[in-house]
Amino acid sequence: MKSLVRSLLYRSGAAARLTPRDALLVVMFHRVLPDSDPRHASADPEYTVSLSAFEAFLDFLGRDFTPVSPRMLEQALAGVTPLPPRPVLVTFDDGWQDTAQYAAPALAARAIPSLVFVTSGALGQDQTLWRDAAGILSRAGLLAVPAQPGASVEAWLETVAAPEREALLRSALEKAPQLRPLMMDAAAMQGLADSAMDVGAHGVSHTPLPEAQHPAEEFQDSKSVLERLTGRTVSGFAFPHGRYNPPLLAQGFAAGFKFLFTSDSVLNHLKDGRLQSPVLGRIAISQKDITDAQGRFSPSRSFFFLARRRSAVRDRARGALAASG
């Protein structure tokens, strides 16, 4: 019954009043894979969307929202040009190969701008995002905790020294060529320069920055590497694992980033179309959020999933930014 009511409200147009016109929506994806791709079966379902659902979601965004580019955000923050009503920015994390292979062409075909946050140390690699690689190999049945069936592979590998961990992952990946490549290489990322997809930074090692020994280097080194490879200014940074604190906000801006993106699942406040903060929250999109029980894309389900977020000033980020000075 709820799904029927949602569908009727959406189709009638009455639901549009639930979505604030004066708020920026930033959506976050990780992986986009067609069901036929061998990598789909072992990908984390929480962070993977099928290509068909992704394409339908893009069509939905084009109808009910106004896609905007990072450049438009800069102009809105500077007070030069306000954002249009119901603006949305599409973002991706990590720099997976399938982002360049599947997501970028789908976006380009619809002239929808986007922003991919690349972990610079993972370019052309399969192990830098070792927690993700461990999960992939575990779901594929290629890696398990010794003498502890069913135990968390990721938790076990946390206790293993880095050289041994890398050797275990490398050995398992060599048995699974169908799962590779995992991360885009420099050539694939450079190819994004010809599309509507901009590049942002996501650190060097994908370590949560509150735990990093040298967080300033994570900011600075990732920025310099990506700028050298793309020939573009990299103005956005997304915190790995969404974790940050007031000093890290200050360090991010000191490194030259104009925008810092979190994983706080909220809309971002606008005033007369102008951004009120350079610290932006993002709403993660998973398959279950935008499809029905039969796995078909549902525009009404997608709409109400997004509409549940309220256009409110992001107290946590604004308070943290103020505390950072």
Side-chain angles (χ1 to χ4, degrees), residues 233-256:
T233 298
V234 174
S235 60
F237 183 94
F239 288 100
H241 304 275
R243 294 175 57 187
Y244 66 99
N245 56 35
L248 288 172
L249 292 174
Q251 288 186 52
F253 290 121

Side-chain angles (χ1 to χ4, degrees), residues 247-310:
L248 288 172
L249 292 174
Q251 288 186 52
F253 290 121
F257 291 104
K258 294 182 179 179
F259 293 98
L260 300 178
F261 291 79
T262 74
S263 298
D264 295 346
S265 187
V266 293
L267 300 179
N268 301 283
H269 183 63
L270 302 176
K271 184 176 182 181
D272 298 325
R274 291 173 171 78
L275 280 169
Q276 301 301 290
S277 171
V279 183
L280 301 174
R282 297 184 295 163
I283 297 176
I285 305 295
S286 65
Q287 184 86 4
K288 69 179 185 302
D289 300 323
I290 60 175
T291 58
D292 60 21
Q294 287 72 45
R296 299 170 301 196
F297 176 76
S298 170
S300 60
R301 183 178 181 85
S302 301
F303 188 93
F304 281 93
F305 170 75
L306 296 173
R308 285 197 295 269
R309 274 70 184 177
R310 294 293 179 260

Side-chain angles (χ1 to χ4, degrees), residues 68 72 75-77 79-85 270-275:
V68 297
M72 293 172 70
Q75 293 176 331
L77 183 65
V80 176
T81 305
L83 293 175
L270 302 176
K271 184 176 182 181
D272 298 325
R274 291 173 171 78
L275 280 169

Side-chain angles (χ1 to χ4, degrees), residues 38-261:
R39 293 168 290 181
H40 187 276
S42 59
D44 189 336
E46 186 65 27
Y47 297 103
T48 306
V49 175
S50 70
L51 178 59
S52 59
F54 178 70
E55 291 175 327
F57 184 77
L58 293 182
D59 293 335
F60 156 78
L61 288 182
R63 290 191 303 268
D64 287 18
F65 297 86
T66 307
V68 297
S69 67
R71 176 59 179 162
M72 293 172 70
L73 297 193
E74 291 182 25
Q75 293 176 331
L77 183 65
V80 176
T81 305
L83 293 175
R86 298 193 179 94
V88 59
L89 175 66
V90 179
T91 72
F92 300 82
D93 273 9
D94 303 335
W96 296 92
Q97 172 65 22
D98 41 84
T99 299
Q101 185 177 358
Y102 297 116
L107 287 153
R110 294 160 177 79
I112 294 178
S114 60
L115 177 59
V116 55
F117 295 106
V118 176
T119 303
S120 64
L123 287 169
Q125 304 296 316
D126 295 320
Q127 299 180 52
T128 302
L129 308 185
W130 69 262
R131 292 177 182 82
D132 301 85
I136 289 168
L137 292 167
S138 175
R139 286 185 290 273
L142 296 168
L143 192 63
V145 181
Q148 298 182 52
S152 168
V153 170
E154 292 91 330
W156 165 55
L157 289 176
E158 286 273 10
T159 67
V160 176
E164 182 183 353
R165 181 172 64 221
E166 292 174 6
L168 287 167
L169 292 172
R170 185 181 303 110
S171 176
L173 281 164
E174 287 173 353
K175 302 172 186 176
Q178 74 278 8
L179 301 181
R180 306 169 77 176
L182 293 182
M183 313 309 296
M184 68 174 73
D185 57 17
M189 194 190 66
Q190 289 171 334
L192 298 180
D194 298 325
S195 70
M197 183 174 280
D198 279 294
V199 172
H202 201 40
V204 176
S205 64
H206 203 247
T207 302
L209 292 196
E211 300 175 8
Q213 290 187 334
H214 305 289
E217 294 178 6
E218 293 279 338
F219 284 117
Q220 295 163 359
D221 292 355
S222 61
K223 191 176 194 297
S224 62
V225 166
L226 297 176
E227 288 183 337
R228 174 173 54 81
L229 289 173
T230 63
R232 299 178 179 180
T233 298
V234 174
S235 60
F237 183 94
F239 288 100
H241 304 275
R243 294 175 57 187
Y244 66 99
N245 56 35
L248 288 172
L249 292 174
Q251 288 186 52
F253 290 121
F257 291 104
K258 294 182 179 179
F259 293 98
L260 300 178
F261 291 79

